[in-house]
Amino acid sequence: MSRRHAITTGCVLVITTLTSAPVPAIAQVRAANAPAVPAWKPPAGMIEALQRDLHLTREQAQTRLLNETRLATVEADLRGKLGARFAGSWFVGTVAQRLVVATTSEADIPQIVATGARAEIVSRSLSDLAAIKEQVDNTPAAHKDTGAVRYIDVRSNKVVVLSKDVAVASNALEASGTDPVAVKVEPSNETPQLLDDLVGGNAYYIGTTERCSIGFPVTRGTQNGFVSAGHCGKQGETTSGSNWTAQGVFQGSSFPDSDYAWVSVNANWTPKPAVNNGSGGTVPVAGARPAIEGASVCRSGSTTGWHCGTIQQRDTSVTYPQGTVYQLARTSVCAEPGDSGGSFISVDQAQGVTSGGSGNCTAGGVTYFQPVDEILSAYGLTLMTVGAGTPPAATPPTATPPGTTPPSTLPPGASPCTGYPKTAAGKLNNGQSAYQPNNLYYQTAAPGRQSACLDSDDNVDFDLFLQKWNGTSWVTVAASDSPGPDEQVGYTGTRGYYRYRVTSASGSGSYTLKYKTS
C-alpha cells in the first residue's frame, strides 16, 4: 500500500510533577464553555496497569483517563476548525491536565484558549511536516545512513531522525537537500525488530510453530474474523487457535510498507468486542477513535500480557531488517516476541495492532503499532464493538465516571436533593457556566467524600462537574452530564481545594446546588 496515508498528529508526552501550592487564584479558572465529560467507567484492569507502568497513584490514573476522555472532544473540534493551519496537538502533565494545540496563525489563539487549551504558534503545519518527512523517507541513503526510525515531532515542529551516528546521518540528509532547520537528528541505539517467535501461549499459530497475537475481532458481511500484523502470515496461510484447533485463513496481508492482515475464522470461533486485560477479565471495544498524542494506551499480547504507556508520535517510519513500514505510531509501551499483532487500546477505543519494537518488558522499551482504521479501510472490514455485539458482562458500556452517581430517575418536578447540609444557588443563560460556592472554592482538611446534587428548572439541560486544584490547574475529578436538568456527583479523594462547575448545555433558568464536604 502507498505510504501516502491520511495525516495524523504526533508528539512526545511531557510529564510534570504535582506539587503543593498556595490557595488558587480565581484568575486561573478554566474557560466556562469547556465541553462536558461524557459518562464512562475505566475498563477493568486499566487503572492497575497505568499505576504500574506510568508510576501513578490510583487517583492519578483515574483522573488521567477522565481528562483524556474529556479533552478528546475539544481537540477534535479544534482540529476541524483550524483546518490547514492545524500543526498538531498533545497532552501535558502527569494526569494529562492540559491540552496543547499548535497552529501556524496567531489569529487562532482566541478560539484555542477559549476551550481551555494552550495555543502554540509554529512555522510549519502538520501537512508541511508530512511532506518533509516523505522527502526524508525517499532519500536514497535514508534507511542505511539516517537511522531506522523517522517521525514527525509536533512539539518541536520538526521531523526527527533517530540514528546511531549523528554525523553520518546529518551529512546524508544535507546531501539529499532536506531543510536542515525542519529536520533534526537525535542519537539513539534503537533497533526495531518484528515481534514474532516460536513459543506457545494464549495466541494463534501459523503453521506448526510460529505464533502471533490476535488484534481486534472484525466482520466483513456475514464473515467473522480478526485483524493482526501483516508480517505474521501471508494470504492463504491457515491458522490454529491457542488450543491448536483449526481456526481460520489469512484473507489479506501487507508487509512491508504496511504491517497488517485479516484472518477469517470458522464457525467454531465466536469473536467478541473485547481485549484481554491480563488479569482474567476483558476491556470492551467501543470504537476506533484515534487517541491524542501523549494519551494513555495499553497493549495486550500473548507473550507479556497487558502493559500500558503513552502514545509518543504518529506518522513514524520504521526500517526493520525485512523492510520499511510507514505511518506507524510510536509508544512507550513494552513488548516482546510473540506479542506481534496484539491489540493497542486507549480507554475503550481500538488504536491498532502491534508491529515491532525495541527493548523488553523487564528493562522497558519502545513499541510501534499499525493504526486500525487503515486496516479496516483497506479490506472493507467492520470493527466489532459493544452495541454491535455482546458486551462483556463485567464492563457495561454505559457506566458513569469514577465516583459519579448515575443520573436521577425521579418523576418530573420532584427534587432529588435531600440530606445535603450546604446550599448554593444561581441562574444560567444558555451556554454559560458558574463556579460554586460563590465563584470560589472550599478546602478540606482531611481525605474524605465530596458529594453534590444539582436541582435545576425543568426544560433545561444543566451539567455538574467537581474539580480539584492539583497545584497548577483545576482538574475535573467527577462529572454528571445527563440530558436532564438534575445531576448528582460523588468523589472520594485526598484533602485539598475543591469547587463545582455548573454548566448550561441547553436552556436558561435557575438552579440550586446542595453539597457535602469531608
Side-chain angles (χ1 to χ4, degrees), residues 7 92 174 236 253 316 437 450 469:
I7 297 170
V92 172
E174 183 178 355
S253 179
T316 302
Q450 317 302 316
W469 182 253

Side-chain angles (χ1 to χ4, degrees), residues 139-159:
T139 299
H143 303 164
K144 177 181 179 181
D145 297 326
T146 62
V149 178
R150 288 90 55 200
Y151 57 77
I152 291 175
D153 180 14
V154 293
R155 290 194 69 250
S156 65
N157 197 229
K158 294 177 182 289
V159 172

Side-chain angles (χ1 to χ4, degrees), residues 468-482:
K468 184 181 180 183
W469 182 253
N470 70 3
T472 57
S473 62
W474 289 101
V475 176
T476 298
V477 293
S480 182
D481 62 349
S482 75

Side-chain angles (χ1 to χ4, degrees), residues 213-456:
S213 302
I214 293 173
F216 295 95
V218 296
T219 60
R220 189 164 77 174
T222 59
Q223 176 63 57
N224 293 329
F226 61 86
V227 294
S228 190
H231 71 265
C232 288
K234 298 178 180 179
Q235 184 174 357
E237 289 188 311
T238 60
T239 68
S240 300
S242 57
N243 58 0
W244 285 101
T245 61
Q247 180 191 64
V249 178
F250 277 88
Q251 297 296 326
S253 179
S254 176
F255 179 80
D257 195 16
S258 297
D259 191 6
Y260 54 67
W262 92 278
V263 177
S264 63
V265 298
N266 61 46
N268 294 327
W269 296 86
T270 303
K272 301 288 185 180
V275 171
N276 190 324
N277 70 2
S279 58
T282 59
V283 172
V285 179
R289 182 184 65 246
I292 299 170
E293 312 232 346
S296 307
V297 68
C298 298
R299 178 197 54 73
S300 184
S302 59
T303 298
T304 59
W306 181 251
H307 286 274
C308 298
T310 59
I311 296 177
Q312 296 179 316
Q313 290 90 20
R314 292 188 181 272
D315 199 352
T316 302
S317 300
V318 177
T319 299
Y320 299 114
Q322 298 87 344
T324 298
V325 179
Y326 303 91
Q327 293 281 322
L328 297 177
R330 187 170 184 258
T331 77
S332 64
V333 186
C334 70
E336 295 180 9
D339 288 327
S340 276
S343 320
F344 267 87
I345 189 167
S346 182
V347 188
D348 58 2
Q349 298 295 309
Q351 298 300 307
V353 300
T354 304
S355 176
S358 300
N360 55 52
C361 288
T362 299
V366 174
T367 305
Y368 300 88
F369 69 77
Q370 172 79 63
V372 71
D373 52 359
E374 184 178 347
I375 312 174
L376 301 176
S377 176
Y379 297 121
L381 304 172
T382 299
L383 181 71
M384 290 198 68
T385 60
V386 287
T390 304
T395 313
T398 54
T400 52
T404 301
T405 304
S408 172
T409 57
L410 292 175
S415 174
C417 303
T418 58
Y420 296 85
K422 299 183 180 182
T423 301
K427 295 182 179 180
L428 290 177
N429 292 326
N430 185 37
Q432 285 188 330
S433 292
Y435 294 91
Q436 297 289 0
N438 196 30
N439 202 34
L440 293 170
Y441 48 80
Y442 63 91
Q443 183 178 10
T444 61
R449 180 78 173 172
Q450 317 302 316
S451 58
C453 180
L454 180 68
D455 184 10
S456 307

Side-chain angles (χ1 to χ4, degrees), residues 67-93:
N67 285 339
E68 290 175 2
T69 303
R70 173 176 59 87
L71 292 174
T73 59
V74 177
E75 193 270 353
D77 182 61
L78 286 173
R79 180 196 294 258
K81 289 180 178 178
L82 299 185
R85 304 183 303 278
F86 179 74
S89 58
W90 60 94
F91 285 128
V92 172

